[in-house]
Amino acid sequence: MYSTSSMAAPTSVVVLDRGNNTTCTINLHGATVVSWRVNNQEQLFVSKQAVFDGKKPIRGGIPFVFPQFGPWNFGPQHGFARIMRWHLEKPPERLHTGDVEAIFSIMDNEFTRSVWNYPFRLSYRLILREKELHFNIGVYNPSKELTFSFNLLLHTYFKVPDVRRSQVTGLHGCTFIDKTRDGAMYQETRDVVTINEWTDRIYQNTPQEHIITNVVSGRKMRIQKYNFPDTVIWNPWVDKAREIADFGDDEFPNMICVEAGHVSTPVILLPGTAFEASQILQVM
Ligand code: TA6
């Protein structure tokens, strides 16, 4: 049902096994989902150049972005959660439905407080279903007097045979920040978004559902998100791919990042309160 094995020290991984070659592998470094296989078909992209040294973020899978999305004056880009070693709060357990569930968590420590001086608790529950992967996130502010604000995003790298043949629905009419055009704002006029160049866009107040066509085996991927008002679309394309050391020059056609997040505006968490968000990925 699950195992923990050690790859290159000091990271270790947790495998959820639902049977029928349906598995989910989580690296405790960043609680990064590094594999999701449905009937033995890998759904996620991980770069062949990815580094598993327990220091660098893992290039691919589903890095966990918290408490900052993007560049950060106080700490690492995309925050510290994706480079922390997470705790396996609840080892994988088979539910009565046959699904497999595990819970991962982090809380503030000396390192996090040195860059972001707030107490926090973060829990990350994954449920592996037959053709779905569910993500439930809770961020808790245990302070009695401090309010803090944060971004939260699942930086999902989907594996595709050829990104030029994939489409993303559910963005028509949305405003977006275009990081390839100096962060200027535009409105999406296309019914479906396609990728034919360097793409790095933060779509705002997007619908709860997106469909990506032509993922693995020509199937579709449905993304449902709750309390994640934004959707980031990213593909580095040729030039940026060359600039990224842990990304192969020839890998950009085989991935598309469609990232559910709360990034345009921060979440503001009052003392003693919690924030919850969730995502469901479904192979159609
Ligand atoms: O989510 C898109 C993005 O913000 C891009 O701007 C690009 O920087 C990407 O994340 C990867 O960032 P990373 O820090 O993992 O290299």
Side-chain angles (χ1 to χ4, degrees), residues 45-52 59-61 157 245-248 251:
F45 165 90
V46 175
S47 171
K48 294 181 184 65
Q49 319 288 340
V51 174
F52 294 87
R59 177 66 63 194
Y157 288 73
D246 58 346
F247 192 101
E251 291 185 313

Side-chain angles (χ1 to χ4, degrees), residues 57 59 69-70 77-78 82 153 155 157 179 200 232-234 244 246 257 259:
R59 177 66 63 194
F69 174 77
Q77 155 137 308
H78 287 337
R82 66 175 184 166
L153 174 129
H155 200 293
Y157 288 73
K179 291 167 64 173
D200 194 350
V232 175
I233 308 286
W234 179 60
I244 302 172
D246 58 346
C257 280
E259 310 160 22

Side-chain angles (χ1 to χ4, degrees), residues 124-166:
Y124 185 28
R125 180 160 68 110
L126 296 182
I127 303 174
L128 177 63
R129 308 194 66 184
E130 188 181 356
K131 294 190 184 308
E132 300 174 10
L133 190 54
H134 291 219
F135 308 74
N136 295 298
I137 298 163
V139 184
Y140 175 56
N141 178 353
S143 170
K144 291 196 173 17
E145 66 279 330
L146 290 176
T147 293
F148 61 72
S149 61
F150 61 89
N151 296 145
L152 181 65
L153 174 129
L154 293 172
H155 200 293
T156 309
Y157 288 73
F158 292 99
K159 179 176 179 167
V160 293
D162 183 349
V163 72
R164 289 160 287 211
R165 296 184 56 245
S166 290

